Amino acid sequence: MVRRRVPPATLALVAVGLVAGGLWWWSVLRLLLVPGEAGIVEGAVAAGGWGLSLLPVHVAASARRPGGGRPGSPVTRASRRRRWGAGSGPS
């Protein structure tokens, strides 16, 4: 079995993430279980954590631009195929 050393910076980031996640869960549970005693700090932590959870979805970079990747090109294009001979009937 190969043992690899984990850099201290990685361990510190994991620890900070676990502490922040614990504080968020504490604030959410406090707001749900005892809303009368929860204060503005719990509300701010819960709202901030929820907002951060949405951030990666909306800020993720795309590998290529929609619409072929050319600047100024439309996002979607209508099909230009003609239906010759099929006819559309009386309109």
Side-chain angles (χ1 to χ4, degrees):
M1 182 161 109
V2 177
R3 297 191 101 188
R4 297 182 181 161
R5 288 183 47 109
V6 178
T10 302
L11 289 176
L13 284 174
V14 169
V16 166
L18 288 173
V19 168
L23 286 174
W24 183 80
W25 275 109
W26 170 77
S27 66
V28 168
L29 289 176
R30 187 162 161 90
L31 282 169
L32 290 175
L33 298 176
V34 283
E37 294 181 16
I40 194 164
V41 174
E42 287 90 351
V45 169
W50 179 77
L52 285 176
S53 72
L54 295 178
L55 186 65
V57 174
H58 299 289
V59 182
S62 175
R64 63 182 188 89
R65 295 182 62 173
R70 293 186 308 267
S73 63
V75 176
T76 59
R77 296 183 190 166
S79 175
R80 296 180 184 248
R81 287 190 324 205
R82 303 285 184 209
R83 295 182 291 167
W84 300 108
S88 62
S91 297

